[in-house]
Amino acid sequence: MTSLRDVAERAQVAVSTASAALNGTRPVAAATRLRVERAAEELGYRPNLLARGLQSKRTRILALLFPAPHSGFGPTEMQFATGAAEAARELGHHLLLSPEHADPIEELRHLTGLGLVDGVLLMEVRLDDERARFLSGAGVPFAMIGRTRDPAGIDYADIDFAATAGDAVAHVAGLGHRKLAFFNLSAGTYAAQYGPSIRAGAEFAAAARQAGIGYVGDFRPGSAEEGGEAFDRLLAEHPDVTALAVMDDHAAVGVIAAVARRGWRIPEDLTLLLVLSSARVAEMFHPRLTTLEPPSAELGRLGAQMLIDRLRGDGPPRQRLVPCRLVAGDSSAPPREGVTS
Amino acid sequence: MTSLRDVAERAQVAVSTASAALNGTRPVAAATRLRVERAAEELGYRPNLLARGLQSKRTRILALLFPAPHSGFGPTEMQFATGAAEAARELGHHLLLSPEHADPIEELRHLTGLGLVDGVLLMEVRLDDERARFLSGAGVPFAMIGRTRDPAGIDYADIDFAATAGDAVAHVAGLGHRKLAFFNLSAGTYAAQYGPSIRAGAEFAAAARQAGIGYVGDFRPGSAEEGGEAFDRLLAEHPDVTALAVMDDHAAVGVIAAVARRGWRIPEDLTLLLVLSSARVAEMFHPRLTTLEPPSAELGRLGAQMLIDRLRGDGPPRQRLVPCRLVAGDSSAPPREGVTS
DNA sequence: GTGAAAGCGCTAACAT
DNA sequence: ATGTTAGCGCTTTCAC
């Protein structure tokens, strides 16, 4: 391991000068800087991050708190991680993947106490999130992918549910549908105050109201089986529904099966939208479902960027909402004939 | 930040004694140790990892080199990461997620030069992997999830393709099938010497031969469209095939569509197996496909464990092969009648 | 069994 | 503009 001292010796300067020459922390004569840079180059010098961090109190390491594989665990979560890791890298930082388990607070206390990370990135944020509260209280810089109920003063990147719901409703309304149903995430996630569950529900209702079309939003199937049941009940109670937006992948599977059992076809008899699911998943269906694809990688990137900006200095907190992208598949079409509404 | 000095002061001992008491690196009187431990406890002392690492040359940080999202990017890759992160955590280590891009070697040189990580975990290993060669040459401890062609002396955890193929063949043979086809990963992955592609191909052929059943293995559809075409060609050339194992999720989608177009049904007319795909994905199909689910999380765990063991001391390299788990779905059944073989 | 002191590699005063 | 000095918080000789 070649150290800064080696470089300094070779360039015939003091260590502090070598340091300054490489970091630009204080003026250095052009000639000197050149000598130092050449020496560093020739020796293949790499600054020791530990030494630097010990001194400067900044490690340039971010931690991504990763929830235990409970509920959903699709490409979405993964892309938060990869997006964040890539952005961090581009900005000269590193990303620690920190699996969260039993006691997330103890976990955080440990992680931040070690002096290893400069800041924390939170995902799967709940409306009332104890982790966010803890970090705020502890004065640890952090940013969220998602957001709490009242995220004032906190950096975050989240899905723009209002715009997403608006796009979805506009899509089906544009096709002529007059009544839309929405299958939210499982009751469990809703009860857990999971942001997307709550917000998507509210925004779809609002968007439908605003567009002046009928709306049914009180189903929360969390599995294929529940999805099928929910669909049957939906049509029993609301036979005039012609379009359905589903949040849970597995519920969608059940819906599709139920549609087939009924002798119906997609999209002729039902327009089906998949919400918050990746295009990769949508391609697994037949027909390929129209999808509102979450900007997962971008949210991850944004989260990391915001956090790093925050560490660099302090501007006002940045709060970004990014809508899902509507990827048209083969599951949307004008409403079926003979609907009595 | 409370430091070891604070603890030492409060316990009325020298810093070195406090250190020894907490780490057990040298004998300390029971009474003294107790005082130190209590002081540490009361002050909420957390050792500074940077300082410790600077001194000891060991950071207890592992890097997981994460390939850029090119080919497949499913739950499998993600579970390598989470499995490894969890195992690392349990063993007192941390996992750095290091996205790999353009020049992986430069990447590695950088990463290891920083003195930040003790070892590297490789995934998506090719038969002839330059990263493995570089790490070996540089003397950087590493372990692989997957393995090179000649992994002698290197720790790795990989799928037991022989056992997996054996299980799959036994499954279909047990149902009475006499001829099995295998759709490998895309031609691109094969050309890239991607381990699973090569090994699964070879082992399925071997297992079929050994079981004495017919075998067709020269298809490599990498998309739904190619999957459908491959299936049509397969039946044109081998009308007596009654069972099919598919590696690529999307190809499976195409196969299912092609089966339906033909007026066939699964499993009555075709037994369909999904190989190396997660149960989560298999559940998206109708009927739910029988799957050979890769032990992804376990491979990640094993990789991390091996690497940590290696860092702790040196025993002989550990090389573990873990078979896929056969998860029976509703896509396997005895062969259709009237097959002329 | 315990304390004092050196030093890991670096940055940041403080001198010059 | 450059060199000297003092640590960052810890582990580890080396004395006692």
Side-chain angles (χ1 to χ4, degrees):
Chain A
M1 264 294 288
T2 132
S3 81
L4 190 57
R5 224 183 85 197
D6 304 328
V7 175
E9 270 174 17
R10 181 174 246 263
Q12 313 260 41
V13 293
V15 208
S16 62
T17 307
S19 170
L22 295 176
N23 298 307
T25 47
R26 75 182 191 193
V28 168
T32 314
R33 142 165 301 132
L34 212 68
R35 280 215 316 287
V36 173
E37 281 169 350
R38 278 202 31 210
E41 171 74 22
E42 288 164 12
L43 295 174
Y45 168 72
R46 310 268 175 192
N48 182 312
L49 287 195
L50 297 187
R52 174 178 285 176
L54 183 56
Q55 167 66 26
S56 66
K57 300 295 182 196
R58 303 203 31 206
T59 62
R60 308 196 150 230
I61 300 178
L62 274 30
L64 174 65
L65 229 59
F66 210 86
H70 58 272
S71 57
F73 216 58
T76 298
E77 286 76 11
M78 149 120 289
Q79 287 181 358
F80 289 154
T82 57
E86 279 171 9
R89 223 198 66 99
E90 286 162 16
L91 297 169
H93 286 243
H94 294 270
L95 218 228
L96 214 58
L97 197 63
S98 216
E100 187 180 281
H101 61 168
D103 186 348
I105 297 302
E106 187 45 41
E107 191 81 31
L108 273 175
R109 205 190 305 279
H110 180 77
L111 192 63
T112 57
L114 260 20
L116 185 58
V117 304
D118 289 345
V120 176
L121 211 47
L122 249 37
M123 55 182 274
E124 301 255 307
V125 177
R126 300 172 175 207
L127 290 193
D128 180 16
D129 200 288
E130 52 170 356
R131 302 169 304 172
R133 237 179 303 123
F134 170 79
L135 291 170
S136 287
V140 177
F142 73 105
M144 306 183 288
I145 299 173
R147 67 194 135 132
T148 55
R149 182 178 289 109
D150 177 21
I154 307 178
D155 298 86
Y156 69 79
D158 196 2
I159 291 169
D160 187 336
F161 291 99
T164 300
D167 291 348
V169 169
H171 177 72
V172 298
L175 289 168
H177 293 269
R178 305 295 311 145
K179 189 159 182 180
L180 167 71
F182 175 68
F183 283 4
N184 206 329
L185 293 178
S186 72
T189 65
Y190 196 88
Q193 297 270 67
Y194 183 51
S197 185
I198 309 274
R199 294 202 174 88
E203 297 295 353
F204 265 86
R209 193 178 337 110
Q210 195 163 347
I213 68 173
Y215 179 73
V216 184
D218 43 1
F219 288 94
R220 296 182 171 73
S223 67
E225 199 183 352
E226 290 175 19
E229 292 167 7
F231 183 69
D232 289 337
R233 265 191 32 230
L234 170 71
L235 281 196
E237 297 170 15
H238 304 273
D240 54 339
V241 161
T242 57
L244 171 61
V246 179
M247 287 265 275
D248 186 282
D249 297 349
H250 290 94
V253 173
V255 167
I256 289 175
V259 167
R261 273 201 301 278
R262 185 174 291 261
W264 278 13
R265 304 188 44 174
I266 295 173
E268 290 81 356
D269 300 302
L270 178 78
T271 284
L272 185 58
L273 266 49
L274 203 53
V275 181
L276 275 196
S277 201
S278 78
R280 252 189 81 86
V281 169
E283 287 168 6
M284 312 251 68
F285 289 94
H286 259 282
R288 194 160 49 83
L289 300 186
T290 296
T291 309
L292 286 141
E293 187 179 26
S296 315
E298 191 183 351
L299 293 180
R301 299 191 71 89
L302 283 170
Q305 284 167 6
M306 289 174 171
L307 182 50
I308 291 171
D309 285 350
R310 166 102 1 238
L311 292 169
R312 287 209 219 274
D314 38 19
R318 288 167 55 197
Q319 315 194 320
R320 286 283 303 275
L321 293 181
V322 187
C324 289
R325 198 165 59 94
L326 194 151
V327 181
D330 306 314
S331 67
S332 26
R336 61 181 181 279
E337 300 295 319
V339 182
T340 54
S341 95
Chain B
M1 264 294 287
T2 132
S3 81
L4 190 55
R5 224 183 85 199
D6 303 329
V7 176
E9 269 173 18
R10 179 174 249 261
Q12 311 261 45
V13 294
V15 208
S16 59
T17 307
S19 170
L22 294 176
N23 298 307
T25 46
R26 76 180 190 195
V28 168
T32 313
R33 142 166 301 135
L34 212 68
R35 279 215 316 287
V36 173
E37 282 169 350
R38 277 201 32 207
E41 170 74 22
E42 287 164 11
L43 294 174
Y45 169 71
R46 310 269 173 188
N48 182 312
L49 286 195
L50 297 186
R52 173 178 286 176
L54 182 56
Q55 168 68 25
S56 66
K57 301 294 183 197
R58 302 203 33 205
T59 62
R60 309 199 149 227
I61 300 178
L62 274 31
L64 174 66
L65 229 58
F66 210 88
H70 57 274
S71 56
F73 217 58
T76 299
E77 286 77 10
M78 150 120 287
Q79 288 181 357
F80 288 155
T82 56
E86 279 170 9
R89 223 198 67 101
E90 286 161 18
L91 297 170
H93 285 243
H94 293 270
L95 218 227
L96 213 59
L97 196 62
S98 214
E100 188 181 280
H101 62 168
D103 186 347
I105 297 302
E106 188 46 39
E107 191 80 32
L108 273 175
R109 204 189 306 280
H110 180 76
L111 191 64
T112 56
L114 260 21
L116 185 57
V117 304
D118 289 344
V120 176
L121 211 48
L122 249 37
M123 56 183 274
E124 301 256 307
V125 177
R126 298 172 176 210
L127 290 194
D128 180 16
D129 200 289
E130 51 170 358
R131 302 168 304 172
R133 237 179 304 123
F134 171 80
L135 291 171
S136 288
V140 177
F142 74 105
M144 305 184 287
I145 298 171
R147 69 196 131 128
T148 55
R149 181 177 291 108
D150 177 22
I154 306 178
D155 298 87
Y156 69 77
D158 197 2
I159 291 168
D160 186 337
F161 291 99
T164 300
D167 291 348
V169 169
H171 177 72
V172 298
L175 288 167
H177 293 269
R178 303 296 312 146
K179 189 160 182 181
L180 167 72
F182 174 69
F183 283 4
N184 205 328
L185 293 178
S186 73
T189 65
Y190 197 89
Q193 298 268 71
Y194 183 51
S197 185
I198 309 273
R199 294 202 173 89
E203 298 296 353
F204 265 87
R209 191 178 338 107
Q210 195 163 345
I213 69 173
Y215 179 73
V216 184
D218 43 1
F219 289 93
R220 296 180 171 71
S223 67
E225 200 182 351
E226 290 176 19
E229 292 167 8
F231 183 69
D232 289 336
R233 269 194 25 235
L234 170 70
L235 280 196
E237 298 170 15
H238 304 273
D240 53 340
V241 162
T242 56
L244 171 61
V246 179
M247 288 265 275
D248 186 281
D249 298 347
H250 290 93
V253 173
V255 166
I256 290 175
V259 167
R261 272 201 302 277
R262 183 174 291 261
W264 278 13
R265 304 186 46 175
I266 294 173
E268 291 80 358
D269 301 303
L270 178 78
T271 284
L272 184 59
L273 267 49
L274 202 52
V275 181
L276 274 196
S277 203
S278 77
R280 252 189 83 84
V281 169
E283 286 169 8
M284 313 251 73
F285 289 95
H286 260 282
R288 195 160 48 84
L289 301 186
T290 296
T291 308
L292 286 139
E293 187 178 27
S296 313
E298 191 182 352
L299 293 180
R301 300 191 69 89
L302 282 170
Q305 284 166 5
M306 289 175 171
L307 182 51
I308 292 171
D309 285 349
R310 167 97 6 236
L311 293 168
R312 288 209 218 274
D314 37 19
R318 289 167 53 196
Q319 314 193 323
R320 284 283 303 275
L321 293 181
V322 186
C324 289
R325 197 165 60 94
L326 195 150
V327 181
D330 307 314
S331 68
S332 26
R336 61 182 180 279
E337 301 294 319
V339 182
T340 54
S341 92

